Amino acid sequence: MTLLLIIGLFPTKSVREGNQLRVFTSGQNLNLYFWLGLLPFFVSLILTIFILIFFQFLPPRLPLFYSLPWGEQQLANHQQFFIIPASIILIDLINLALIWHLHSSQVFFKKLLSFTSFITTLIFLITFIRIFLIFA
């Protein structure tokens, strides 16, 4: 934590009160992490609405499971595409539960978990868009 304070990656202010060192983050930073925590839920909602509305115009089976052998095994029906928003929500809920259980002095790990949620949401969103753009 001290190294990060020296480098200045996370704008924080530390104050020594007696034998304890208290670390404060700016209000803007906390607001940023609040929105980073809510972003996966919004993205999941948008993806779900998108699946419900636009997938009627696409072929009945689309490639989703790229780790399986090439061909029929990679294809998924429209209902299986709900795996993507469900995975986003599940990962975000796990990260939020971990953030909630961490002590308030573990600011770095809380930030790391919120950025992890953001990055996984971004990866799932890019995957979804690339699959959709194959047929658009």
Side-chain angles (χ1 to χ4, degrees):
M1 183 69 157
T2 307
L3 179 62
L4 292 174
L5 289 173
I6 292 171
I7 295 173
L9 291 177
F10 299 107
T12 58
K13 177 182 170 188
S14 60
V15 175
R16 184 164 295 278
E17 294 178 358
N19 291 335
Q20 294 184 341
L21 180 67
R22 297 195 182 255
V23 177
F24 302 99
T25 57
S26 66
Q28 284 182 323
N29 262 357
L30 293 178
N31 196 18
L32 171 72
Y33 297 112
F34 172 75
W35 287 111
L36 277 179
L38 285 182
L39 180 70
F41 292 108
F42 291 133
V43 170
S44 295
L45 179 67
I46 290 169
L47 288 180
T48 303
I49 292 170
F50 193 83
I51 290 170
L52 292 173
I53 294 174
F54 291 108
F55 268 52
Q56 62 187 346
F57 303 113
L58 293 176
R61 296 183 55 118
L62 297 170
L64 177 63
F65 306 110
Y66 288 107
S67 62
L68 295 176
W70 192 84
E72 190 72 23
Q73 294 175 343
Q74 286 186 351
L75 300 179
N77 59 23
H78 295 161
Q79 289 81 19
Q80 290 174 314
F81 270 86
F82 287 109
I83 293 172
I84 295 175
S87 298
I88 291 172
I89 289 175
L90 181 68
I91 290 170
D92 191 48
L93 285 176
I94 290 170
N95 283 346
L96 288 175
L98 290 172
I99 288 170
W100 185 67
H101 284 308
L102 287 174
H103 190 266
S104 61
S105 65
Q106 297 175 326
V107 176
F108 174 73
F109 293 114
K110 289 183 177 189
K111 291 177 182 181
L112 185 67
L113 286 169
S114 59
F115 278 119
T116 302
S117 291
F118 174 73
I119 295 298
T120 55
T121 300
L122 191 63
I123 290 170
F124 278 120
L125 181 63
I126 290 170
T127 301
F128 184 84
I129 290 171
R130 291 190 68 191
I131 291 171
F132 178 75
L133 289 178
I134 289 172
F135 297 99

